[in-house]
Amino acid sequence: MKIGTPTEVEVGENRVAMTPDSARQLQKLGYDCAIQAGAGEKAGFSDATYQEAGVEVIEGADALWAACDIVAKVRIPTDAEMGLLRSDLTLISFFNPGGNEEGLEKAKDSGANVIAMEMVPRISRAQKMDALSSMANIAGYRAVIEAGNNFGRFFTGQVTAAGKVPPAKVLVVGAGVAGLAAIGTSTSLGAITLAFDVRPEVAEQVESMGAEFVYLDFEEEQQDGAATGGYASVQSEEFRNAQLAKFRELAPEVDIVITTALIPNREAPELWTEDMVAAMKPGSVIVDLAAEKGGNCKLTKADEKIVTDNGVTIIGYTDFPSRMAAQSSTLYATNIRHMMADLTPEKDGQINHDMEDDVIRGATVTHEGAITFPPPPPKVQAIAAKPKEVVPELTPEEKRAQEVAAFKAQTKQQVTLLGVGAALILAVGLVAPASFMQHFIVFVLSVFVGFQVIWNVSHSLHTPLMAVTNAISSIIILGALMQIGSGGGFLVVLLAAISVFFAGINIFGGFLVTRRMLAMFQKS
């Protein structure tokens, strides 16, 4: 079978669904590959590069669609492209089945099998095919770059001979894939980064990336704000009011706002109101990644950049991934290639459209002349977070009773251990010579002192385990050095020297390993 990619006809679309590298991988699955002449030019892939990869270059879209059994593209097919569908064709593309009823009907009537890339289930096994996440990652990164291009200052703070430059303060609204990409880019550029999301469980992810999570003083925020598929759910009016109040508080402080909040098949929620824009400092920038669905900012205009009367730049571009066409095409083509690998388990160049497979079934919107959207829930569900156990609050009297009971139990255990130890020492003393008991008492005291010394070593930049092993090695070295100077004979000195050698290897090796571990996290 032959898989082909046409030129994207949408104005301003620079991406392509097949790259020379992905074509080589598809050929390993047994497929012949074809591409429309000039389809990859805007993404930096020439026809000659495709030909070197063994891809057939075909002139004209009609000829390519007619010659191929599978067509992979990026954008939702136009009416003209829908007219090229046929019963023996499989189309893999973004399709927007939730808002494209007419397209679904046309695809059903044609008999073509259509796989919508945005419908890939968000389960672990399907992450390699998650084109939405691939494109959102690029959009989040590019949003920060666009903001920096329109921001008149450094992101990072600087102290120079000419004066001190404060760092920029960036607020990212929505900590999904795009939001996390924006957070990572912003922090890496040195900005003070704040982030907000209705899902409190993402706070740890945000903070692990060096940003500060914005919490609301609102009880509902502690509830699960996630909907099916990892998206944020619609929140109550009270929560929304608390959220807007927090944003109004932050508006005069932040220099850059990047909004990413979207709910599938809904208009984007309005999160940054006109009065918030008016409260921002001149020169501030808003990048609205939800512009295609109406925007999170009240003043956003899709595909435009505007400057308000108070000097705030609002960017509403809807083609952020296309502005990084080479990177976007590479990632999207890889998603397509992984989808084809699942469709071709035998690697024989023949599609096995297994509707029992969770991923294939979830992404298929028309199959053999029938509309299969919406899909059933996947059989393999994401693991839900374990609900927190509700512990009843104790009265002061009950708490005191618990503390007393715990203290008594601990005291009883200690007395028992001391009694057993004393009995053992007494039993040994009855049969052992006096010299043995002297050495034995020194040994016991040494163990106790050594234990206290070792476990009180602060691990600082080491791991706790490395701190303990270094402390043990240090005690070994001290003991061995004492034996070397004791003059106890050649064998004693030799064994002590060997102990110093190996303990030294452990200590210095530990420091070298620690240094290498820390170097992995340092910026080059």
Side-chain angles (χ1 to χ4, degrees):
M1 298 180 78
K2 181 179 290 186
I3 179 171
T5 294
T7 302
E8 297 295 326
V9 297
E10 190 81 21
V11 176
E13 181 54 70
N14 300 322
R15 291 172 290 179
V16 63
M18 182 189 295
T19 64
D21 285 340
S22 73
R24 293 185 181 96
Q25 298 299 320
L26 290 170
Q27 289 165 14
K28 291 180 181 179
L29 294 174
Y31 292 101
D32 295 325
C33 297
I35 193 157
Q36 184 179 340
E41 292 287 349
K42 294 179 181 178
F45 305 110
S46 66
D47 290 346
T49 309
Y50 282 106
Q51 288 173 330
E52 290 173 4
V55 181
E56 179 185 0
V57 177
I58 298 177
E59 293 287 344
D62 291 354
L64 180 123
W65 284 75
C68 295
D69 306 289
I70 308 150
V71 171
K73 63 187 307 295
V74 181
R75 288 277 192 159
I76 299 170
T78 62
D79 289 340
E81 288 172 324
M82 292 298 294
L84 299 174
L85 296 178
R86 60 182 192 275
S87 60
D88 60 344
L89 180 75
T90 296
L91 172 66
I92 305 175
S93 172
F94 282 114
F95 202 80
N96 186 29
N100 189 13
E101 292 183 11
E102 183 180 351
L104 285 174
E105 289 294 335
K106 288 182 178 179
K108 181 193 74 171
D109 294 342
S110 70
N113 296 333
V114 176
I115 295 175
M117 290 302 291
E118 66 266 63
M119 291 302 299
V120 170
R122 287 192 160 176
I123 58 177
S124 297
R125 183 169 66 85
Q127 287 180 353
K128 60 188 177 182
M129 307 169 225
D130 190 351
L132 280 179
S133 292
S134 297
M135 298 302 102
N137 180 30
I138 293 171
Y141 171 86
R142 183 68 187 197
V144 177
I145 302 303
E146 290 289 343
N149 190 44
N150 288 272
F151 185 56
R153 297 205 327 261
F154 295 137
F155 269 68
T156 185
Q158 292 189 8
V159 179
T160 69
K164 182 180 179 181
V165 179
K169 184 173 283 189
V170 178
L171 171 64
V172 179
V173 181
V177 176
L180 291 174
I183 291 167
T185 308
S186 175
T187 54
S188 66
L189 290 174
I192 298 172
T193 308
L194 312 175
F196 172 82
D197 197 282
V198 300
R199 299 163 296 176
E201 62 268 22
V202 304
E204 290 184 4
Q205 299 177 44
V206 168
E207 291 165 357
S208 70
M209 299 179 74
E212 177 186 344
F213 191 79
V214 177
Y215 291 95
L216 299 185
D217 186 15
F218 187 75
E219 184 178 354
E220 185 177 335
E221 194 203 12
Q222 302 306 317
Q223 300 176 4
D224 185 8
T228 303
Y231 294 98
S233 61
V234 180
Q235 300 295 302
S236 69
E237 188 65 26
E238 291 79 6
F239 181 90
R240 173 177 163 77
N241 291 337
Q243 177 181 262
L244 294 180
K246 189 65 177 180
F247 290 164
R248 287 190 178 94
E249 177 186 329
L250 293 173
E253 303 176 13
V254 296
D255 302 298
I256 296 171
V257 177
I258 298 174
T259 63
T260 70
L262 276 174
I263 299 174
N265 301 318
R266 290 175 178 265
E267 286 297 304
E270 183 186 325
L271 303 178
W272 207 259
T273 58
E274 192 169 351
D275 63 299
M276 295 177 196
V277 177
M280 296 179 74
K281 294 172 287 191
S284 300
V285 179
I286 298 172
V287 182
D288 195 340
L289 291 180
E292 193 170 8
K293 292 291 186 179
N296 297 136
C297 177
K298 176 69 172 178
L299 302 179
T300 298
K301 294 184 178 179
D303 296 312
E304 292 185 25
K305 179 179 75 174
I306 65 171
V307 180
T308 64
D309 293 338
N310 63 322
V312 177
T313 301
I314 303 175
I315 299 172
Y317 300 150
T318 60
D319 60 346
F320 285 107
S322 187
R323 289 170 181 260
M324 299 183 68
Q327 184 69 76
S328 299
S329 299
T330 299
L331 293 182
Y332 183 70
T334 302
N335 295 142
I336 295 286
R337 189 253 297 175
H338 284 304
M339 175 63 74
M340 292 304 302
D342 270 30
L343 287 166
T344 321
E346 301 299 327
K347 298 183 180 180
D348 56 356
Q350 299 294 320
I351 281 186
N352 177 17
H353 206 117
D354 182 8
M355 293 294 278
E356 295 299 317
D357 183 286
D358 276 342
V359 178
I360 296 172
R361 174 63 187 89
T364 302
V365 295
T366 64
H367 183 248
E368 295 181 350
I371 295 176
T372 58
F373 174 83
K379 294 187 286 292
V380 179
Q381 296 285 351
I383 299 175
K386 184 179 180 180
K388 293 182 179 179
E389 184 179 353
V390 179
V391 180
E393 188 173 350
L394 301 177
T395 64
E397 291 78 11
E398 290 173 331
K399 289 181 180 179
R400 177 63 180 169
Q402 280 191 352
E403 291 171 357
V404 170
F407 176 76
K408 288 181 177 179
Q410 185 179 14
T411 303
K412 183 179 178 181
Q413 183 182 20
Q414 291 174 345
V415 170
T416 302
L417 289 174
L418 286 172
V420 171
L424 290 173
I425 293 175
L426 181 61
V428 172
L430 291 174
V431 296
S435 60
F436 172 81
M437 289 305 298
Q438 290 177 353
H439 290 299
F440 182 71
I441 291 172
V442 172
F443 172 75
V444 171
L445 291 175
S446 299
V447 169
F448 176 75
V449 173
F451 177 83
Q452 294 298 323
V453 169
I454 289 170
W455 285 103
N456 282 296
V457 172
S458 174
H459 54 264
S460 186
L461 294 178
H462 293 68
T463 64
L465 176 61
M466 192 175 295
V468 170
T469 56
N470 278 1
I472 294 173
S473 298
S474 300
I475 290 178
I476 292 172
I477 287 177
L478 288 175
L481 289 174
M482 292 176 65
Q483 292 299 323
I484 290 174
S486 67
F490 174 75
L491 183 60
V492 172
V493 173
L494 177 62
L495 291 175
I498 293 174
S499 300
V500 171
F501 176 72
F502 283 109
I505 290 176
N506 186 54
I507 291 175
F508 294 111
F511 277 102
L512 289 174
V513 169
T514 300
R515 183 177 180 84
R516 292 189 65 178
M517 289 172 62
L518 294 174
M520 293 171 61
F521 300 97
Q522 291 175 348
K523 297 178 182 178
S524 58

